[in-house]
Amino acid sequence: MTKKAKVLKLTADDEEKELEFELDYLASLTFEERFKMMREKSREMLKQMIEHGHRRPFEIIKRA
């Protein structure tokens, strides 16, 4: 089962229509597809943060 790709074509910028288009697309996805997309984006953001010098936050060490 393949989904037909949809493309939004506007003659002028319209943020409201763009947002509506994006929300319709996300609503058409299954839970598994949305979860997979979220994990891919998380990995992508982590990779970019590491490339730009940001690492894991400092750990708080409790002193005795």
Side-chain angles (χ1 to χ4, degrees):
M1 184 172 164
T2 59
K3 293 182 181 182
K4 201 170 194 180
K6 294 182 180 181
V7 178
L8 178 64
K9 293 183 181 180
L10 300 173
T11 56
D13 288 340
D14 188 346
E15 289 185 26
E16 190 173 315
K17 285 186 180 181
E18 289 177 18
L19 180 60
E20 184 179 325
F21 179 80
E22 187 71 24
L23 291 175
D24 286 342
Y25 167 72
L26 291 174
S28 72
L29 297 176
T30 65
F31 176 78
E32 290 80 14
E33 290 170 328
R34 281 183 270 159
F35 191 73
K36 181 180 175 186
M37 182 187 295
M38 180 187 71
R39 293 191 69 181
E40 289 172 0
K41 289 295 181 182
S42 293
R43 283 190 204 111
E44 183 180 317
M45 287 189 301
L46 179 61
K47 182 181 171 189
Q48 287 179 353
M49 287 178 65
I50 290 171
E51 288 174 356
H52 289 90
H54 298 280
R55 300 278 179 180
R56 299 174 92 188
F58 292 104
E59 294 180 13
I60 298 173
I61 300 172
K62 186 175 182 180
R63 296 180 188 226

